Amino acid sequence: MGSANLRGSTQTAEGSKIPLQQNATPAKVCPHNSNISCASCRLNELCLPIALNKSEIHQLDEIVERNRPYKKGDHLYRQSDDFKSVYAVRSGSFKSYVLSDNGQGRVTSFFLPGEIIGMDGIASKQYANSTIALEHSSICEIPFSQLEKLSHQLPSLQHHFFAIMGNEIAKDQQIHTLLSSYTAEERTASFLLGLSSRYAHVSLSPSRFLLPMTRSDIGEYLGLTVETVSRIFTGLQRKELIQVNNREIELLDIAALRAIISSS
Amino acid sequence: MGSANLRGSTQTAEGSKIPLQQNATPAKVCPHNSNISCASCRLNELCLPIALNKSEIHQLDEIVERNRPYKKGDHLYRQSDDFKSVYAVRSGSFKSYVLSDNGQGRVTSFFLPGEIIGMDGIASKQYANSTIALEHSSICEIPFSQLEKLSHQLPSLQHHFFAIMGNEIAKDQQIHTLLSSYTAEERTASFLLGLSSRYAHVSLSPSRFLLPMTRSDIGEYLGLTVETVSRIFTGLQRKELIQVNNREIELLDIAALRAIISSS
DNA sequence: TTTGATTGTTGATTTAGATTAAATTAGCTT
DNA sequence: AAGCTAATTTAATCTAAATCAACAATCAAA
């Protein structure tokens, strides 16, 4: 089955082009462009500027540092580095991981566009894990001391950042439940649906996307081995709930995937 | 071996009295007393007042509601209730849990004195789980809208609450790693050491305490069955790393317990 | 002080997912 | 395009922990 040139776009059976996440913005506007202000950023509805007015967004803009793009494998920061900033993903994706004593890494989070990285360092003033780009990616760096200062001036920013942190806490607790009581198939289905709705949030297809991470990353994140993840993928494909071709995945029956989870 | 009257205090082999958490404060000051101000609360070094000056603490005091004590099994709030407040445990202990579709509960957190409950509701404006008292307990209720307002006036309170939330995030991610890669014995050892250091924080014995939760609660929290938790306890006891007698537990060899975890 | 209900322990058996071991396929370099 | 390394799949065992099944201890209420 034609799996040529899937980075960026692909052909459906009918020959129509469906954008995958890599080229969701028009070709002439590079998604890694560093010169977009918060006000004009297509992610401003879910990132920090949400609920801020024009002048407030401008003030936020002033403290945001738009770094050069990160190449696949570049570290945003490493475990135990001094905490300085939180980061908003502008394009691409990242993973956070910790190294166990025997050198084995365990993935703790994935980050997609619009999501905030680095909040685990706020309390201890050191990052609790390392974070690395999964593909060519760009981020906005927000020095935390300045974010605090500005939050103190702008009640709506303070409110919103409390909400972002609260959301992270709620999400982490859902994963606690997933890891403590779901089967391998339930975890995998839940993971795919989670990615689906996160892509939907940034106006990308909720049913067809590229997985930016390896099977091994998924396994570490879900507390499963690579082999199990692979087997579950083939199993779900056999049941015609998904269609996988390497990193490309299509969710064929979202309702049935949901049903798998709620059976637990 | 003499297991009489362990609620509150117990006899060692030598006959000396070692206080357990239930009577760590002098008998004449009831630990559930509702009339203690933040300024005089023995937990103020780890609760919200930390890093606030006298006058700031007084302002915080003004918004704190000191509810009547909760009996064992009383709900602080239930899943999907409208989010209104966060709570600080003054005495006793609580657990949070979610109900899965089949009615099975899964414990997501335990809360000991000085710890903050309810942050999972901040983002969605509804509590994501139910929270119940594990024993006779008392709490301070802090209406969140007022906490936000006061945080806006007091930079150090804003800073401290960001830190509390960041700490919750870091802690939840540690549990993610624990659940995704630790064995049953490693999880159990880690859980016991975690309780130990939390009791140490409130100046209680880190090596000898009463477990406020059932084996089943522990199992749900750690993603294990009751039977496994019970077997691991007996196993650790056989290895002389702990001494368990129903809810009473003594950590005999903390170094060895730590070694179990770092072997993973 | 019985009685029933909840909680905890222990043992036998089963099983989901890990481990081990290859073989296959993609993606990179050169 | 060849060669190399990392990623993925598949299959055959193995094992840690779940499940199933009694039973004992504790607690709360009558």
Side-chain angles (χ1 to χ4, degrees), chain B residues 135-153:
Chain B
E135 58 192 303
H136 194 71
S137 304
S138 62
I139 51 106
C140 295
E141 176 171 354
I142 304 128
F144 190 68
S145 59
Q146 299 199 245
L147 180 61
E148 276 192 302
K149 222 174 285 172
L150 191 58
S151 294
H152 184 241
Q153 288 160 41

Side-chain angles (χ1 to χ4, degrees), chain B residues 17-200:
Chain B
K17 281 213 169 190
I18 294 191
L20 295 179
Q21 66 270 38
Q22 274 68 10
N23 69 346
T25 35
K28 39 170 69 171
V29 177
C30 172
H32 308 301
N33 186 338
S34 289
N35 299 317
I36 296 167
S37 71
C38 287
S40 64
C41 178
R42 75 189 168 87
L43 298 171
N44 69 18
E45 280 305 307
L46 44 91
C47 186
L48 280 170
I50 193 171
L52 299 188
N53 66 32
K54 278 256 175 72
S55 110
E56 290 169 339
I57 288 182
H58 180 71
Q59 289 180 72
L60 178 64
D61 236 2
E62 293 286 299
I63 69 169
V64 171
E65 297 172 15
R66 291 172 187 79
N67 303 10
R68 68 175 185 332
Y70 284 72
K71 288 194 305 294
K72 177 178 176 173
D74 282 350
H75 272 87
L76 198 50
Y77 54 78
R78 287 166 201 271
Q79 205 167 339
S80 306
D81 278 359
D82 283 340
F83 170 75
K84 188 181 150 250
S85 302
V86 294
Y87 303 86
V89 180
R90 195 159 64 244
S91 67
S93 51
F94 292 81
K95 72 168 179 187
S96 288
Y97 65 96
V98 289
L99 292 168
S100 67
D101 290 350
N102 64 37
Q104 278 270 299
R106 302 307 303 199
V107 173
T108 56
S109 311
F110 297 108
F111 298 95
L112 303 186
E115 300 177 342
I116 308 294
I117 306 180
M119 293 182 283
D120 55 279
I122 292 175
S124 68
K125 294 282 147 207
Q126 297 201 327
Y127 295 105
N129 44 50
S130 302
T131 298
I132 198 172
L134 291 170
E135 58 192 303
H136 194 71
S137 304
S138 62
I139 51 106
C140 295
E141 176 171 354
I142 304 128
F144 190 68
S145 59
Q146 299 199 245
L147 180 61
E148 276 192 302
K149 222 174 285 172
L150 191 58
S151 294
H152 184 241
Q153 288 160 41
L154 308 177
S156 54
L157 182 59
Q158 186 202 62
H159 180 83
H160 183 53
F161 201 69
F162 278 147
I164 284 177
M165 294 188 79
N167 190 46
E168 182 70 28
I169 290 169
K171 210 190 62 187
D172 287 349
Q173 290 183 358
Q174 284 184 328
I175 292 162
H176 183 140
T177 309
L178 179 138
L179 292 175
S180 68
S181 61
Y182 286 20
T183 63
E185 193 183 45
E186 289 163 354
R187 291 180 203 195
T188 309
S190 175
F191 175 73
L192 293 175
L193 289 171
L195 282 183
S196 166
S197 57
R198 287 155 79 186
Y199 280 127

Side-chain angles (χ1 to χ4, degrees), chain A residues 118-207:
Chain A
M119 292 182 284
D120 54 279
I122 292 175
S124 67
K125 293 285 149 203
Q126 297 201 326
Y127 295 105
N129 44 51
S130 302
T131 298
I132 198 173
L134 291 170
E135 58 190 303
H136 195 70
S137 304
S138 62
I139 51 105
C140 295
E141 177 171 354
I142 303 128
F144 190 68
S145 60
Q146 299 200 243
L147 180 62
E148 276 193 301
K149 222 174 285 171
L150 191 58
S151 293
H152 184 241
Q153 288 160 39
L154 309 178
S156 53
L157 182 60
Q158 187 202 63
H159 179 81
H160 184 51
F161 201 70
F162 278 147
I164 284 178
M165 293 189 79
N167 191 46
E168 181 71 28
I169 290 168
K171 211 191 61 187
D172 287 348
Q173 289 182 359
Q174 284 184 328
I175 292 162
H176 183 141
T177 309
L178 177 139
L179 292 174
S180 69
S181 61
Y182 286 19
T183 64
E185 193 183 43
E186 288 163 354
R187 291 178 202 197
T188 309
S190 174
F191 175 72
L192 292 175
L193 289 171
L195 283 183
S196 166
S197 58
R198 286 156 80 186
Y199 281 127
H201 260 228
V202 286
S203 309
L204 288 163
S205 169
S207 60

